[in-house]
Amino acid sequence: MLKRGVLSILRAERLLTSSLRALPDFVVIGGQRCGTTFFYNQITRHPAVKRAFSKEVHFFDKAYRRGAGWYRSNFPLRLERRAVARLRGGPALTGEASPYYIFHPHAARRAAGLVPRAAIIALLRDPVHRAYSHYHHEVRLGAETLSFPRALEAEEGRLAGEEERMLGDETYVSFNHQHFSYVARGRYAEQLERWFAFFRRERVLVLSSEDFYADPPGVMATALEFLGLPGERPEPRRRDNEGRYAGLDPGLRRELAQRFDADNRKLYALLGRDLGWESG
């Protein structure tokens, strides 16, 4: 009870000082179950990077109605950021990571309206493994009660009309769109194209989750250079938020790989590189 009261006071203080706070220099837009928590925890260990008060602010998707002042309240004071920059003799940054952004139909436009100069970072994982990890995440949350094959069969019906309703009503928040989009979230090319329509390609860094899991320091070096913070790299720590569950049935894995094959090839053409995911 005491902790809740203290947190309420701190939130109120941040809102009162929101006009003095920074907007993010970078936004990690997703995807979900692609290593964004691990990535954000790694990058915010850099001494020139200040964390948001919550890693997943969810402003450009679910909390947009709260306004820009509320969004600013989630970040450090500009004075604090300038002090870090003076101390280090170089830039100091802040940012957030909300993995629903890449998939949400309004997020790219909203972000471009408020933080048009922000650096955008996306992590993309083999969509077959992402979908299976997403499913188990929803099971742990208690949102999903179907088996994985049944959930895949139900997805089209669960999502029917949801994006159209979101596009027609900016205030509508779709539970199904966020939680039951196992296959839809793996169609990365169409999601990135939406972000490329609002942010220049050179402002968007697309990373492979598999590369990041295999070589965290190397991928972190790429990300820090992209953000203008080359040289100093934090030592890697263990992966965060890693689920434990039985392996995917090989037959269903091959079936899913076939479903994603055309989407993956479209993504490779868009990026100009092959990410090496299993083909159908």
Side-chain angles (χ1 to χ4, degrees):
M1 196 70 177
L2 177 62
K3 182 179 178 181
R4 190 179 303 172
V6 170
L7 289 175
S8 296
I9 292 170
L10 291 174
R11 280 194 294 268
E13 184 274 333
R14 294 202 308 268
L15 280 169
L16 286 171
T17 58
S18 63
S19 64
L20 304 176
R21 296 183 177 275
L23 284 170
D25 303 285
F26 67 89
V27 179
V28 182
I29 62 173
Q32 187 192 35
R33 310 307 299 168
C34 293
T36 56
T37 298
F38 181 37
F39 179 87
Y40 187 75
N41 287 343
Q42 289 293 104
I43 205 161
T44 53
R45 291 180 59 226
H46 191 287
V49 179
K50 301 291 293 181
R51 292 181 68 96
F53 289 96
S54 173
K55 170 227 169 192
E56 297 186 19
V57 180
H58 281 296
F59 176 65
F60 297 117
D61 47 38
K62 299 190 296 181
Y64 192 66
R65 66 188 181 280
R66 295 187 175 189
W70 179 88
Y71 189 51
R72 282 183 179 273
S73 74
N74 287 275
F75 298 98
L77 294 163
R78 292 195 300 273
L79 185 64
E80 182 182 0
R81 190 175 61 174
R82 285 197 296 270
V84 173
R86 282 196 303 270
L87 182 66
R88 294 188 52 78
L93 309 179
T94 188
E96 60 131 330
S98 297
Y100 190 26
Y101 285 167
I102 191 172
F103 186 57
H104 194 279
H106 293 300
R109 174 181 52 80
R110 291 170 174 175
L114 185 60
V115 289
R117 292 187 293 278
I120 305 299
I121 301 175
L123 282 88
L124 305 181
R125 181 183 183 184
D126 183 321
V128 174
H129 301 297
R130 194 222 68 82
Y132 194 48
S133 178
H134 180 181
Y135 165 78
H136 282 283
H137 178 66
E138 299 301 335
V139 170
R140 288 193 300 274
L141 290 176
E144 183 59 86
T145 58
L146 301 178
S147 68
F148 187 48
R150 290 284 306 278
L152 293 176
E153 291 173 4
E155 180 173 339
E156 183 176 354
R158 284 168 157 180
L159 299 188
E162 289 299 285
E163 185 160 316
E164 290 78 6
R165 185 173 175 184
M166 294 168 76
L167 289 169
D169 179 0
E170 291 242 3
T171 66
Y172 178 59
V173 175
S174 171
F175 182 90
N176 284 10
H177 186 268
Q178 182 177 4
H179 292 276
F180 299 140
S181 41
Y182 307 118
V183 173
R185 283 186 187 243
R187 300 187 180 112
Y188 300 125
E190 60 191 48
Q191 297 167 54
L192 283 176
E193 285 172 340
R194 190 155 51 201
W195 282 85
F196 289 155
F198 292 97
F199 289 85
R200 299 193 309 275
R201 296 274 186 116
E202 60 268 26
R203 301 298 302 161
V204 182
L205 176 66
V206 179
L207 300 170
S208 157
S209 299
E210 290 77 14
D211 288 347
F212 183 44
Y213 296 151
D215 180 19
V219 172
M220 193 55 56
T222 298
L224 291 171
E225 183 175 5
F226 174 69
L227 294 175
L229 298 172
E232 187 172 353
R233 286 186 281 173
E235 286 299 313
R237 293 182 176 175
R238 65 174 179 82
R239 283 170 59 178
D240 306 271
N241 206 22
E242 186 177 3
R244 304 285 184 183
Y245 42 81
L248 179 58
D249 174 78
L252 184 53
R253 188 184 67 242
R254 287 191 296 271
E255 179 185 327
L256 273 174
Q258 290 173 357
R259 290 179 68 177
F260 283 121
D261 190 54
D263 295 299
N264 288 347
R265 286 188 277 108
K266 184 178 179 182
L267 174 68
Y268 300 162
L270 180 67
L271 299 180
R273 70 181 194 272
D274 189 323
L275 298 183
W277 295 332
E278 182 178 356
S279 59

